[in-house]
């Protein structure tokens, strides 16, 4: 018999959803989460000072009572999540990252979101990522 863990219904639904999205098993989703949490991220978060001078910009979102931080790369348009349960994951677009956050925290709703108006610049301006979308 395999060891078991107990989780609440909402957590179980989230794990099952992630398994369906990743075409894998619930056990593998949990194993990946444990591996991710056990190994320090090789890409450190960009500090606000680095974000001001570099091509990466700190962003965050508050969703369902949880704040998630990330780094937006102006060149590739990718968002790398740097905090919370999705830390260490990288998304090709702000929209992909937004959908992942919604799917994680509220898997029973349609995760479609516009990432440009979902993520907020982490510079104190309270501006959406959209405000720098076309700037160089």
């Amino acid at each position: 018999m395999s060891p078991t863990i107990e989780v609440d219904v909402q957590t179980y639904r989230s794990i099952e959803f992630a398994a369906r999205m990743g075409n894998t098993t619930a056990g593998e989703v949990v194993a990946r989460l444990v591996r991710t949490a056990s190994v320090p991220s090789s890409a450190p978060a960009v500090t606000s000072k680095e974000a001001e001078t570099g091509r990466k910009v700190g962003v965050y979102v508050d969703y369902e009572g949880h704040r998630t931080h990330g780094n937006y790369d102006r060149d590739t348009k990718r968002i790398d999540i740097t905090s919370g349960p999705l830390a260490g994951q990288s998304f090709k677009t702000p929209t992909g990252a937004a959908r992942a956050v919604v799917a994680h925290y509220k898997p029973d709703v349609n995760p479609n979101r516009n990432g440009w108006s979902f993520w907020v610049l982490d510079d104190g301006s309270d501006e959406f990522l959209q405000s720098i979308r076309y700037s160089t």
Side-chain angles (χ1 to χ4, degrees):
M1 179 169 171
S2 296
T4 61
I5 59 171
E6 290 186 34
V7 295
D8 60 77
V9 172
Q10 184 62 40
T11 300
Y12 181 77
R13 287 181 183 155
S14 296
I15 292 169
E16 283 293 311
F17 178 77
R20 283 193 311 276
M21 295 301 294
N23 197 28
T24 189
T25 66
E28 181 57 28
V29 169
V30 173
R32 286 182 191 169
L33 288 170
V34 169
R35 281 193 305 270
T36 300
S38 300
V39 178
S41 173
S42 60
V46 174
T47 65
S48 56
K49 190 66 173 171
E50 290 171 322
E52 291 173 15
T53 59
R55 298 297 296 163
K56 293 194 177 183
V57 177
V59 294
Y60 74 92
V61 66
D62 290 324
Y63 186 75
E64 289 296 307
H66 302 274
R67 179 164 285 194
T68 302
H69 286 92
N71 293 321
Y72 168 71
D73 187 307
R74 290 176 182 258
D75 296 322
T76 64
K77 311 301 185 219
R78 296 185 78 86
I79 288 192
D80 300 318
I81 305 295
T82 60
S83 73
L86 301 174
Q89 293 189 38
S90 182
F91 298 88
K92 291 180 182 179
T93 65
T95 295
R99 289 177 179 168
V101 170
V102 172
H104 177 77
Y105 288 112
K106 201 153 178 144
D108 55 330
V109 301
N110 185 329
N112 287 337
R113 298 291 185 277
N114 179 337
W116 299 103
S117 59
F118 186 80
W119 294 97
V120 178
L121 299 177
D122 197 5
D123 61 1
S125 70
D126 290 327
E127 293 283 333
F128 287 112
L129 184 56
Q130 175 69 31
S131 68
I132 64 166
R133 184 176 187 177
Y134 299 109
S135 65
T136 57

